[in-house]
Amino acid sequence: MSETKRRFVMNAFKVFDLVLLVVAFGLASMLSDASRGGVAFVDFLSMKVTLGNVLTFAVLLPTWHLIFLLFGLYESKRLSTRSSEMIDTAKATTLVSISLLFASSLFHIRMVNFSFVVLFWCIGTISIAFGRLAVRRWLGSMRRNGRNLHHILILGTNERATAFAHRIEAQSELGYRLLGFVDEEWEGIAGFLGSGYELCTDFAGLSDFLRRNIVDEVAIYLPLRSFYALACQVAATCEQHGVIIRFDSDLFDLKTAHSRAEEFDGAAQITVYTSILDGWQMLVKRIQDFAISFTLLLLLSPLFLLISFLIKLTSNGPVFFLQERVGLNKRRFKIFKFRTMIPNAEKMMAELEVLNELSGPVFKIKNDPRLTPLGRFLRRSSLDELPQLLNVLLGDMSLVGPRPMAIRDFEGFSEDWQRRRFSVPPGITCLWQINGRNSVPFQQWMEMDMQYIAEWSLWLDLKILARTIPAVWKGTGAA
């Protein structure tokens, strides 16, 4: 596809997206309930074109276009998956819907209410998603028929280089034509040549190859430790030719890490991470934590007063037990719990170590002699942990996340992979709590925390919260 044609198609695509959003606006106005402030579609069409209406859409349409640009919906999606593009689309339309709510309060758009925005989001997301799927299907068909191809050259003949070649050849809809490989003679070259791939040139002849052949992209799969200077030279040559440079972000051969491209002070960087990065989902998680903890603290305040009264009535000492715990990235904070033990309980821990019933560095005794009669009930019912809602409200903890460790337990960790659990905010409940709690061995507990970090999503948080209620009710593994 020529550059002129590509730009024309892209601009038409941008206009088409805005048209779909305007259509979604009209359909949402038709379908919204008139008794709740909606306006019939006929009324929508018969609205006068006032200066206010024009100004409103003059602000909304560029804003929506900017949001789509920020989510990269007009960048090349040749190597991206359908699911990732659909997720980006849903994120963009969600922000578009939020901007519509904001505009409705600013410009007093009377037809826009919550039900209207939900309809607008559903119609807009579905229509734009289907539009993108149709475009992907059309482009895939073109590429399978030999049109809109990208000619790619791979530097390096190691396993990572050939694996990349296998991936792009297995997906003809991506539209890549593999020209071949560039490398010198090395001990593994015989095995590479036996795989059926072609060695186009060596490094000395690369510049001449670029001058004489159609090359759209060069993928660098050289071991950077020994070929850093050469990789820099190749990148400079590609820059002079205007050829796209592609390289694998997994520079360190990490097993569980993910990567993403970022820009800092005008320079591109690759961020490698194994935990949950800040983003819109983490923002939603924090809003959810704050809203739920605040609501529960209000609703449960009579219960808080009752438990506080009973603690003071049945034993000496403060109502709350405050203990320093290890939180996000080993930050320390004071955790709030209802006191369930006698006042000098922590001083007695050393002499009770021989009674510890759990493996690993954690300390737990099923029939702990330090517990008060009321404290034993509070432990079994998990009511002693309710004050941790204050920690969630303050931001030290989340509703869902690995349990915050006491300093003593943290210092007993023997393997570094276990410390990855501190890369996310600690929580009141997690997979450990809903799968047996204190009956789960320490090693399995840590593996559950790793599973939570690897599979984290807002939906997983909601499922854990829903399963926590019956788990607490049954008292499984509580001590």
Side-chain angles (χ1 to χ4, degrees):
M1 185 182 295
S2 67
E3 182 64 21
T4 302
K5 187 175 181 181
R6 191 192 68 82
R7 287 182 180 178
F8 174 79
V9 171
M10 186 57 66
N11 289 331
F13 199 25
K14 293 175 182 178
V15 172
F16 183 64
D17 279 343
L18 293 178
V19 170
L20 287 178
L21 289 176
V22 172
V23 170
F25 189 98
L27 290 175
S29 67
M30 179 182 68
L31 297 173
S32 60
D33 188 357
S35 64
R36 296 182 181 179
V39 177
F41 189 53
V42 175
D43 296 334
F44 172 73
L45 294 177
S46 63
M47 287 174 60
K48 293 180 180 180
V49 181
T50 64
L51 179 61
N53 294 336
V54 172
L55 289 176
T56 299
F57 274 93
V59 172
L60 285 176
L61 292 179
T63 302
W64 294 346
H65 177 63
L66 179 61
I67 290 171
F68 276 39
L69 286 174
L70 290 174
F71 280 95
L73 295 186
Y74 302 117
E75 297 174 359
S76 173
K77 300 292 183 181
R78 189 180 287 263
L79 287 182
S80 66
T81 62
R82 281 192 296 267
S83 59
S84 66
E85 188 172 5
M86 295 305 100
I87 291 171
D88 288 339
T89 299
K91 291 178 182 178
T93 53
T94 300
L95 194 54
V96 162
S97 301
I98 293 172
S99 72
L100 183 57
L101 270 177
F102 179 77
S104 69
S105 61
L106 187 64
F107 297 109
H108 305 291
I109 308 174
R110 60 190 179 91
M111 70 175 65
V112 176
N113 52 33
F114 182 75
S115 60
F116 176 94
V117 171
V118 171
L119 286 168
F120 171 79
W121 180 85
C122 291
I123 297 169
T125 302
I126 292 171
S127 59
I128 291 175
F130 270 104
R132 271 165 167 68
L133 288 174
V135 169
R136 289 182 74 97
R137 189 178 183 87
W138 171 61
L139 289 173
S141 177
M142 285 180 57
R143 292 162 181 165
R144 277 189 290 267
N145 291 321
R147 300 173 62 190
N148 190 28
L149 297 181
H150 263 214
H151 297 69
I152 188 168
L153 192 64
I154 301 178
L155 267 69
T157 52
N158 51 46
E159 290 184 3
R160 292 166 64 233
T162 54
F164 175 69
H166 287 314
R167 291 201 303 271
I168 61 174
E169 287 185 323
Q171 302 178 65
S172 58
E173 69 276 6
L174 298 179
Y176 275 98
R177 181 187 170 212
L178 179 60
L179 298 174
F181 292 75
V182 180
D183 207 342
E184 303 286 352
E185 292 285 339
W186 65 290
E187 59 183 15
I189 198 69
F192 165 78
L193 293 174
S195 66
Y197 284 120
E198 180 183 353
L199 192 65
C200 294
T201 180
D202 55 15
F203 297 125
L206 176 60
S207 295
D208 188 60
F209 186 90
L210 292 176
R211 294 188 199 106
R212 299 176 183 276
N213 294 274
I214 300 172
V215 181
D216 297 301
E217 297 188 23
V218 171
I220 301 177
Y221 277 85
L222 297 171
L224 290 186
R225 181 177 180 181
S226 51
F227 287 89
Y228 177 76
L230 179 60
C232 290
Q233 181 183 341
V234 170
T237 302
C238 291
E239 181 184 37
Q240 291 175 342
H241 283 265
V243 174
I244 295 172
I245 306 166
R246 183 180 301 280
F247 62 92
D248 193 349
S249 62
D250 187 12
L251 301 176
F252 311 111
D253 194 27
L254 302 177
K255 306 303 180 188
T256 60
H258 306 281
S259 62
R260 72 178 184 187
E262 294 181 336
E263 184 176 312
F264 175 70
D265 198 23
Q269 294 187 329
I270 295 175
T271 301
V272 180
Y273 61 97
T274 57
S275 60
I276 307 165
L277 282 183
D278 292 335
W280 71 273
Q281 286 186 306
M282 286 302 292
L283 176 61
V284 173
K285 180 180 173 72
R286 178 57 192 147
I287 293 172
Q288 174 182 279
D289 285 342
F290 184 89
I292 294 177
S293 61
F294 182 77
T295 302
L296 287 177
L297 284 170
L298 288 179
L299 294 176
L300 298 175
S301 54
L303 180 59
F304 271 65
L305 291 173
L306 176 61
I307 294 174
S308 300
F309 173 75
L310 292 175
I311 291 174
K312 295 298 290 183
L313 184 66
T314 57
S315 64
N316 295 324
V319 169
F320 294 108
F321 171 69
L322 273 67
Q323 186 184 50
E324 193 172 46
R325 295 287 179 101
V326 181
L328 177 63
N329 289 326
K330 306 174 192 64
R331 291 174 175 85
R332 300 192 178 187
F333 67 97
K334 294 287 187 180
I335 195 172
F336 293 94
K337 298 181 73 173
F338 281 124
R339 182 175 59 82
T340 58
M341 295 185 176
I342 56 178
N344 62 338
E346 286 197 282
K347 296 180 181 179
M348 299 173 60
M349 184 179 293
E351 60 188 75
L352 295 174
E353 286 279 2
V354 293
L355 300 177
N356 186 15
E357 299 173 0
L358 292 184
S359 59
V362 289
F363 181 85
K364 189 72 66 173
I365 304 173
K366 187 174 182 180
N367 295 310
D368 199 317
R370 300 171 299 168
L371 288 172
T372 64
L374 177 62
R376 197 175 303 278
F377 167 76
L378 294 177
R379 284 283 186 94
R380 288 177 178 172
S381 61
S382 297
L383 291 174
D384 64 314
E385 300 192 12
L386 286 180
Q388 291 169 44
L389 291 170
L390 291 168
N391 291 113
V392 176
L393 195 68
L394 294 172
D396 295 324
M397 293 176 60
S398 175
L399 290 172
V400 183
R403 288 292 297 158
M405 284 288 181
I407 304 300
R408 170 203 171 277
D409 300 344
F410 166 73
E411 291 176 347
F413 274 44
S414 58
E415 300 181 51
D416 282 339
W417 68 267
Q418 298 167 348
R419 295 182 176 88
R420 184 180 164 209
R421 70 190 306 281
F422 301 106
S423 65
V424 299
I428 296 177
T429 183
C430 201
L431 294 175
W432 176 69
Q433 274 78 0
I434 62 177
N435 286 287
R437 300 169 72 177
N438 293 311
S439 62
V440 176
F442 177 75
Q443 180 78 5
Q444 187 180 349
W445 173 9
M446 295 298 103
E447 289 172 356
M448 286 181 181
D449 286 344
M450 299 307 108
Q451 179 186 348
Y452 170 77
I453 295 171
E455 300 176 2
W456 178 82
S457 68
L458 292 171
W459 177 240
L460 178 60
D461 275 5
L462 292 175
K463 288 195 292 185
I464 291 174
L465 286 172
R467 290 180 59 188
T468 297
I469 298 172
V472 170
W473 182 262
K474 293 177 183 177
T476 305

